[in-house]
Amino acid sequence: LRICQAFVLPPYQRSGHGQRLLDGVYKDMLAKDDVVELTVEDAAPAFARLRDQMDYKLLKKKTRESSSTGGGNGNDVCRFVSEKEAVPLAAGLKITPRQYRRANEIIQLEELFVSDSNAAAPKLNDDEFKKKYRLMVKKRLVKEKTEQLGSVKDKKIRQDMLGRFFDDLMKEYFHVLRRPYLDLN
C-alpha cells in the first residue's frame, strides 16, 4: 500500500483529522492479507512526524502484546536492532525496515525517561545507555546520509554534520514523545 500525499485543509489542521485518517489506513492495512507493506512517498515533515507517531504506537502495542502473551518481556521486539534484523520485524508490522528502526529508536529514547524497577532513577542518568543509543542512531544516519556526508572530505566538518543530523532527528523524536527537547550529547 502506497500513500502519495495526505492533505487536510488549513482550517481543519491540528484537530486530529490526519491522525484519525492515518489510523484508519493502518487498521485497514493490518487487516488485509494482500497488503505487504505501507510506504509513504516523499512525505511532508508534518506527515513524516505523524507516520513516526503511528509506527511508534504500533510497535509499542506489539511490544505490550508480546510481553502479555508470554513472548518475553518485550525486549525481543523492542531493542537495538541491526538493519538486517529490522527486515523480518518490520514485515510483521507491515512497515518499512527504516520506519521500524525509527519507531524502535523512539521507544529506546522513551526508555531514557522510564525508571527501571531495579533502579531509583530513570536511565537518563545512565551514560552507557545514552552512548549506546547515540551510536546506534548515528550509525543508521551515516548509512542514510552517505551521499551528503561522503561529499565532505574534512573529518571534523563531517562529524559536525552528523551531529546536526542527530540533533534534528532527536527534536523530531522528542516531538513524537511530546517531551521537551533534551540534548543527549
Side-chain angles (χ1 to χ4, degrees):
L1 179 64
R2 183 168 307 186
I3 298 175
C4 294
Q5 284 296 331
F7 182 72
V8 176
L9 294 170
Y12 304 103
Q13 291 175 359
R14 309 207 78 40
S15 300
H17 298 301
Q19 185 170 357
R20 284 191 294 278
L21 179 66
L22 194 55
D23 189 47
V25 169
Y26 270 66
K27 285 178 182 170
D28 191 46
M29 167 198 67
L30 291 168
K32 293 187 176 193
D33 292 334
D34 60 337
V35 175
V36 177
E37 180 180 88
L38 174 70
T39 58
V40 178
E41 290 183 9
D42 199 23
F47 191 77
R49 279 192 301 275
L50 180 58
R51 180 183 56 182
D52 282 342
Q53 193 171 44
M54 297 299 294
D55 293 341
Y56 154 77
K57 287 178 180 178
L58 183 65
L59 181 56
K60 187 107 172 148
K61 181 180 177 194
K62 174 94 169 165
T63 302
R64 279 194 300 269
E65 288 171 0
S66 176
S67 296
S68 66
T69 59
N73 60 3
N75 290 335
D76 53 337
V77 176
C78 179
R79 59 186 171 79
F80 296 104
V81 295
S82 70
E83 191 172 355
K84 188 177 180 180
E85 291 173 310
V87 173
L89 295 169
L93 297 173
K94 298 185 179 185
I95 60 176
T96 66
R98 177 183 181 272
Q99 280 306 116
Y100 179 89
R101 292 181 78 196
R102 285 176 66 97
N104 184 58
E105 289 167 3
I106 294 168
I107 289 175
Q108 292 294 331
L109 179 62
E110 185 179 46
E111 284 293 311
L112 287 172
F113 301 98
V114 176
S115 292
D116 185 320
S117 59
N118 300 324
K123 290 181 182 173
L124 194 55
N125 300 322
D126 185 344
D127 290 335
E128 186 61 33
F129 185 86
K130 288 193 293 190
K131 180 180 178 182
K132 187 176 178 184
Y133 180 81
R134 278 193 315 270
L135 291 174
M136 175 192 70
V137 174
K138 285 182 177 182
K139 186 176 180 181
R140 182 183 62 78
L141 285 172
V142 165
K143 288 185 179 187
E144 269 185 27
K145 308 281 188 181
T146 300
E147 193 173 305
Q148 290 138 307
L149 293 169
S151 65
V152 178
K153 301 299 178 211
D154 185 274
K155 184 179 179 179
K156 175 71 174 135
I157 294 172
R158 202 169 44 248
Q159 287 174 335
D160 289 345
M161 281 178 69
L162 181 60
R164 282 194 303 278
F165 290 143
F166 178 80
D167 289 341
D168 290 346
L169 184 65
M170 289 302 101
K171 287 174 185 166
E172 291 175 29
Y173 286 1
F174 276 97
H175 187 271
V176 168
L177 293 172
R178 294 186 168 101
R179 289 191 170 272
Y181 175 71
L182 176 72
D183 188 359
L184 295 179
N185 291 312

